[in-house]
Amino acid sequence: EDKVVQSPLSLVVHEGDTVTLNCSYEVTNFRSLLWYKQEKKAPTFLFMLTSSGIEKKSGRLSSILDKKELFSILNITATQTGDSAIYLCALVNSNSGYALNFGKGTSLLVTP
Amino acid sequence: GAVVSQHPSRVICKSGTSVKIECRSLDFQATTMFWYRQFPKQSLMLMATSNEGSKATYEQGVEKDKFLINHASLTLSTLTVTSAHPEDSSFYICSAHSGGSSTDTQYFGPGTRLTVL
């Protein structure tokens, strides 16, 4: 059975700090790994990763995948209160169409 | 990114009634739509995969006769919770995939909060 494990489950930091969120996985047939940000409603897409070692970057957020060690990290630099959210990591198994298998998420709170 | 809408955003119903939730892709054609549910402080759990013009594929433990899914067009999928009970109260979220093998990105609707009294 495929697994997606995120850590930490929750995190509190001060504005300006840098955070690293972790996602490790087990999958029979890896296709891609995606990161989403969920505030009060539905998740919004951040990154899709398919290849090892290639960093994806968007503003203060970046993410990278290690397919040998089976994990991905999401970095947020110079955090702001607006970054407070649940960050979800999801896996796509080639055998499951495009269905997303989500981890439990990391709840991030950025305090002023 | 692509826009997916859901309607209604919030519904309260009596036990035993049926509730229909609509999911629409507004600016793209969605060959595949997914339905998830999310309980408080938990992650999204896939309920079913819906392909346009064919029967939905349900995840293990999800009753297909209770959660009826119709994907009648490339822009609309509906989820009907039949004979709803309080334990069906949850946050239901749909997502849409535009098709093609170049991306696995799904775009999510804003969700529907269902409360069954």
Side-chain angles (χ1 to χ4, degrees), chain A residues 31-32 34 36 38 40-43 45 48 88 92 98-100 102-104, chain B residues 34 36 38 43-44 46 91 93 97 100-106 108-110:
Chain A
R31 181 181 169 93
S32 62
L34 292 88
Y36 284 85
Q38 185 176 26
K40 293 196 174 175
K41 291 192 173 179
F45 172 75
M48 183 179 87
L88 296 165
V92 179
Y98 299 102
L100 296 174
F102 282 93
K104 291 186 188 299
Chain B
F34 302 88
Y36 297 84
Q38 187 176 33
S43 193
L44 282 78
L46 179 66
F91 191 53
I93 309 177
H97 182 267
S101 58
S102 61
T103 178
D104 291 332
T105 305
Q106 292 178 25
F108 285 84

Side-chain angles (χ1 to χ4, degrees), chain A residues 10-51:
Chain A
S10 65
L11 191 55
V12 181
V13 300
H14 292 297
E15 260 191 321
D17 288 351
T18 292
V19 298
T20 299
L21 310 183
N22 303 291
C23 177
S24 63
Y25 63 89
E26 294 176 22
V27 64
T28 53
N29 221 337
F30 179 88
R31 181 181 169 93
S32 62
L33 184 145
L34 292 88
W35 283 96
Y36 284 85
K37 177 183 180 182
Q38 185 176 26
E39 295 173 88
K40 293 196 174 175
K41 291 192 173 179
T44 53
F45 172 75
L46 295 176
F47 300 111
M48 183 179 87
L49 302 157
T50 56
S51 302

Side-chain angles (χ1 to χ4, degrees), chain A residues 32-98:
Chain A
S32 62
L33 184 145
L34 292 88
W35 283 96
Y36 284 85
K37 177 183 180 182
Q38 185 176 26
E39 295 173 88
K40 293 196 174 175
K41 291 192 173 179
T44 53
F45 172 75
L46 295 176
F47 300 111
M48 183 179 87
L49 302 157
T50 56
S51 302
S52 273
I54 299 174
E55 186 183 50
K56 294 274 181 107
K57 203 166 167 61
S58 176
R60 295 177 294 104
L61 277 67
S62 63
S63 183
I64 198 161
L65 174 69
D66 186 328
K67 289 167 74 173
K68 185 179 174 189
E69 300 298 328
L70 306 183
F71 75 91
S72 173
I73 59 172
L74 175 69
N75 275 324
I76 309 175
T77 58
T79 52
Q80 301 170 358
T81 55
D83 295 326
S84 297
I86 297 173
Y87 290 85
L88 296 165
C89 173
L91 200 63
V92 179
N93 183 322
S94 293
N95 298 332
S96 303
Y98 299 102

Side-chain angles (χ1 to χ4, degrees), chain B residues 65-82:
Chain B
D65 294 330
K66 180 165 183 64
F67 298 99
L68 301 178
I69 291 172
N70 187 304
H71 193 157
S73 77
L74 286 172
T75 58
L76 173 64
S77 176
T78 60
L79 168 69
T80 302
V81 183
T82 61

Side-chain angles (χ1 to χ4, degrees), chain B residues 13-29:
Chain B
C13 69
K14 291 183 180 178
S15 190
T17 59
S18 293
V19 174
K20 182 189 277 190
I21 303 169
E22 290 187 352
C23 176
R24 291 182 187 272
S25 56
L26 297 185
D27 52 1
F28 67 101
Q29 293 186 327

